[in-house]
Amino acid sequence: MNLNYSKSLGLIAVLYFTVGVNAQVTDSLKEKKIEEVVVIGYGSVKKKNATSAIENIKADVFENRPIYNVGQALQGNAAGVNVIQNSGKPGQSLNVKIRGNNSISSGVNPLYVVDGIQTNDISGINPDDIVDLTILKDATSAAIYGINGSSGVVIITTKRAKNDKPQLNFNAYWGVSKAANNVDVLNPEQYRALMNEINPAYVATIDYPRYAGINTDWRSEVFRTGFDQNYNVNYSFGDEKLRTYTALGYQGIDGIVDPSRFDRVSAKINLDSKIASWLKVHASLNYINTKLKNTNDNAAGARAGVILSTLTTPTFMPAYANQLKVRETDADGNYIDGYKDGQFAMNPFTAGWENPVAFQYRGLDNTNTHRFLSNLGLDVNLLKNLVWKPSVSLDVIDSVNDKFIDPFRSVYGRQERGTGSQTFNLFQDFNFENTLNYTIKSDAHDLNLLGGFQLHERNVQGQYYWGNRFPQDLREFVYELSENPNEIFRKEILRELSYFGRALYTLNGKYTVMGVFRYNGSSALADNKKWGFFPGVSASWNVANEDFLADSKVISELKIRGGWGKTGNASGIPPYAHYNLERLNQAGENGSWSTHQWSSDIGWEVTTDTNFGLDLGFANNRIKLTADVYKRTTDDLIMPIKMGQIGNILRNVGSMENKGLELTLNTINFKREDFTWNTNFNISFNKSNINSLAYMPNIDRVGIEGMGDLVRFSAGQPIGAFYGYQMEGVDPQTGNIIYADIDGDGVKNTGLNGDIFDVGDRTFIGDPNPDFTFGFNNNFTYKNWYMDVLFTGSYGNDIYNASRFELELMNDFKNQSTVVLDRWTTAGQITNVPRANSSSAMAISDRFIEDGSFIKLKAATLGYNFNNPFKGLNKLNVYVTGQNLVTWTDYSGFDPEVNAFATTNGVLGIDYGTYPQVRTVILGLKANF
């Protein structure tokens, strides 16, 4: 946005203090204090005694939103947690980062602990089963989880039965979705004029009789109204001896671009049993089935990207062959391929570059996943204050992906005579844990000691079947019918063993100190580097409990916290790296091979984390402020490097750091008998920097076809920085782009007349990392009415709009954005858009760098509660919710919340035909019996 840094902060401050901080405290001293408890690793602690950076999110802040992923529940609700919804496609993963990336090649997603089950995959967890989420943000809280907690930990607590009468709950919602924004392209007359400038032969093709009178609206052909539906029922019952919670849920989402669809069926049982006064049993069993139908996006039109193809396919072409005005036949009068009924119309310029409808329907890409998560644990009171807690958990993910392009309908399918694959993957995560917990409490002393060990084993099995040359009438992949079958099998085992401990001591309710450690071993590491020791220590001073503040009518909470710790990460290492194997991957029917060297000299990535925090409350905590400042340095970064012709070799090669500031302000603005208004505002500042890289000074990623690499990792630069040429303008005399001569050698970067772009003039041209992100949530209640409003935002991040390579280069037959109406056409013209068909445009430059800052009305809910509407129904809640309602941004694409290369670690902020975000309106109800 066209706002400088200080003005943006001022705008947010004015917004908050105008709307949120007008706290009425006239009756604040009448509020009753409620002592909060927060969940930490393998236990809990009174919040007033917590020494680390911990944040808790209750389910009521997201339960009325149409979300399918737990990551969406975190978005905008926690300082230091940046969540990017990579696209609007149903069922797609989200990028969740706690205090930035702390690695370049290893895993950077947080660890999720669901009822004691540790996992990095929460894609199928039903948000309706969640009670709250606790985020462990610094090393002093997360170190106890060792290798898995290096990127932060999210502890998910699900619903359990209580000791009261049986309760039946039902909720459902139904919603419709539309694309939240649009990108304008040329109309037929504007397109014809442009083609005449690029190549007059294109105009002759447009005038073929077979296209007479055709004007296809590709948006109406491709985009549709999406539909959401969600149903959940749970029943809980029990007494002191046995409590049972059962739940069954279904969610279905039809995306706005066919065939994208997400279906989830979930079933859950939580059991709690008191066998004896000294023995308790806890069990959790989850079954999740997800089905995902994919629409290909994040790709150019030439690579079957549906979104970009929708924008760039000329309107004079039809979708289907039978819509052509003239259809070619053979000598016998039969339609030839490309003109037959049931086939897609061919592109007359390049036959294989098909229209978006062909990319949608020429085949299938479906994934079906069955998942079982189970946990069984005991609480055994060995002595008065000594509890032994053994537990075992199993996470099994069994998935199959089917892809097929049939041999009849599309040009590519006919060329391959059909092509497809079937991939089976089986993941089994087994965890066995034992802990001993000892507590001593008195008036002055509160001591808790925890010790334990964990055994983790991961088994991965995969089977991949690929083939082409199928019978013409086949519409699904049948391996046995391929004339050219191929198959690949794999099996991997990873083992980890850990010992951990924690000591937590509080004196007089004022002074608390905590020490943790994890001694972690991984089978993937080199023989002499398998083990790592990761300690942490933290302390807090509860100043509000000192005598000089005990009677304060203003300050109700004042606590100072500080901590230091280390965590390890090795999740980017193949399971058999320690064998120094050379792996050969066959690719394609011609047997081309790529070589990878797995090094045996790999050790831990180690992150050192320092955190200082302040918790401050006023007027009996009607106003609460939490502030944290941190610095995280990761050494021995694991990266694949190239050495001559050897290929990629894994090495510990460098160092990076993240440092930042987090602020959270919670206020009870009004609290009367009929009306309440609560506000949460959080803002996070994070700055990343690569300190050093060994062996290779630069590491480049994300190659754009025909353009080179877009992202460069280099010492002294932020992670994921964009790299290319600096555009200085368009030459008024020639219409060609002028690039900055960075190295001062006088070489012109025109790309004309065979001249090669001067690579010495490339430089860093953009930073995808935001200066800050924020969330602003307001909750209102008036009698039985309630309203929740959530704003989210990001400032200072650049987006590389690579979609504009397709929409503004003007170098072939593709339709273009209306931006090209300002292209250079005559000598002396002043414009920033070059002439048509200029080779000077064929370079990665800051021409397509855009400001990705935004403020988004992420969700708004209005609801009404009916109390005891009729016998047997205790409560009925009816509500309407809107999501992604308004976005304020200067970004020209569909939505600034993009991440086309989400699977490439350390890369963010690139838009390359990304599936648009959707605006959703839903109607929901909840019933409690």
Side-chain angles (χ1 to χ4, degrees), residues 42 116 375-378 388-393 431-435:
Y42 304 99
N375 175 268
L376 177 64
L378 304 177
W388 171 42
K389 293 185 177 182
S391 69
V392 60
S393 64
N431 272 293
F432 177 61
E433 295 177 324
N434 268 276
T435 64

Side-chain angles (χ1 to χ4, degrees), residues 722 797-801 848-852 891 896 898 909-911:
F722 302 133
N797 55 298
D798 293 322
I799 295 176
Y800 200 94
N801 191 347
F848 298 145
I849 295 285
E850 297 190 43
D851 182 4
Y891 182 61
V898 291
I910 301 175
D911 188 349

Side-chain angles (χ1 to χ4, degrees), residues 837-856:
N837 214 19
S838 172
S839 59
S840 67
M842 304 297 292
I844 291 176
S845 72
D846 59 358
R847 176 185 175 193
F848 298 145
I849 295 285
E850 297 190 43
D851 182 4
S853 305
F854 68 87
I855 299 174
K856 182 175 291 190

Side-chain angles (χ1 to χ4, degrees), residues 8 158 171 182 226 270 279 338 433 443 448 496 523 535 558 600 616 631 638 665 727 754 775 806 834 855 857 927:
S8 294
T158 65
N171 69 71
N182 200 2
N270 282 342
L279 177 62
E433 295 177 324
D443 292 339
N448 179 274
E496 296 168 356
S523 65
L558 175 57
S600 63
L616 185 60
K631 181 179 180 181
I638 298 172
L665 185 60
M727 178 180 173
E806 299 278 300
I855 299 174
L857 178 51

Side-chain angles (χ1 to χ4, degrees), residues 748-783:
K748 294 182 179 180
N749 295 298
T750 62
L752 302 173
N753 303 319
D755 291 343
I756 298 174
F757 283 95
D758 183 5
V759 296
D761 288 337
R762 290 183 300 168
T763 188
F764 290 95
I765 56 176
D767 181 0
N769 301 280
D771 294 332
F772 63 82
T773 58
F774 71 89
F776 182 48
N777 199 351
N778 282 271
N779 170 258
F780 306 87
T781 64
Y782 176 68
K783 294 184 177 179

